[in-house]
């Protein structure tokens, strides 16, 4: 499984960006795709996820500003980011979580990361 992310860049505070990620390879059934981010000196943190059954989960810090969506047919996930703030600056990673078939838990796949920089 491979994840290809795109759409990062640099914007001023209050601006918008859209991240895209498409998964390829062999995986089937229910899954979740989403975005995590890691700022320098910080641990990687959840931004937003969305399952194949449209259950979404957002970090409190992005609720009301970011919107996650999916195109199931394309195995793609998108993150519309509005009202960006300097504290949103980080490397954003696309994630695919697929339930394991032989034991409890999920297997995580990660994209290469895309830089988002918000200037004040």
């Amino acid at each position: 499984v491979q994840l290809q992310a795109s759409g990062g860049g640099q914007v001023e505070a209050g601006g918008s960006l859209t991240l895209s990620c498409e998964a390829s390879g062999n995986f089937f059934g229910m899954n979740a795709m989403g975005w995590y981010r890691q700022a320098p000196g910080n641990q990687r943190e959840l931004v937003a996820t969305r399952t194949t059954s449209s259950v979404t989960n957002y970090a409190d810090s992005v609720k009301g500003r970011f919107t996650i969506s999916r195109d199931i047919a394309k195995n793609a996930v998108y993150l519309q980011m509005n009202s960006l703030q300097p504290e949103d600056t980080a490397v954003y990673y696309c994630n695919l979580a697929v339930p394991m078939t032989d034991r409890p838990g999920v297997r995580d796949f990660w994209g290469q990361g895309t830089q988002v920089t918000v200037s004040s």
Side-chain angles (χ1 to χ4, degrees):
V1 175
Q2 291 186 328
L3 301 177
Q4 184 66 45
S6 62
Q10 183 169 353
V11 296
E12 294 185 350
S16 298
L17 283 173
T18 301
L19 304 182
S20 301
C21 176
E22 192 161 324
S24 60
N26 291 325
F27 58 97
F28 306 96
M30 296 286 289
N31 59 70
M33 291 188 76
W35 297 92
Y36 291 70
R37 67 187 181 187
Q38 187 168 18
N42 290 353
Q43 291 186 335
R44 191 174 297 189
E45 62 177 8
L46 177 143
V47 177
T49 61
R50 187 177 179 103
T51 70
T52 45
S53 56
S54 300
V55 176
T56 59
N57 185 30
Y58 290 94
D60 288 343
S61 60
V62 307
K63 285 180 181 177
R65 301 188 297 124
F66 292 9
T67 302
I68 189 169
S69 60
R70 292 188 61 171
D71 185 330
I72 302 298
K74 294 183 178 179
N75 291 323
V77 64
Y78 310 98
L79 187 68
Q80 175 66 44
M81 304 184 292
N82 298 327
S83 301
L84 283 161
Q85 300 301 316
E87 52 265 35
D88 296 315
T89 295
V91 177
Y92 284 68
Y93 295 91
C94 177
N95 171 265
L96 167 67
V98 181
M100 294 188 184
T101 57
D102 58 347
R103 59 185 181 274
V106 298
R107 183 174 180 183
D108 286 304
F109 300 92
W110 297 95
Q112 80 278 16
T114 185
Q115 177 71 46
V116 172
T117 302
V118 185
S119 58
S120 57

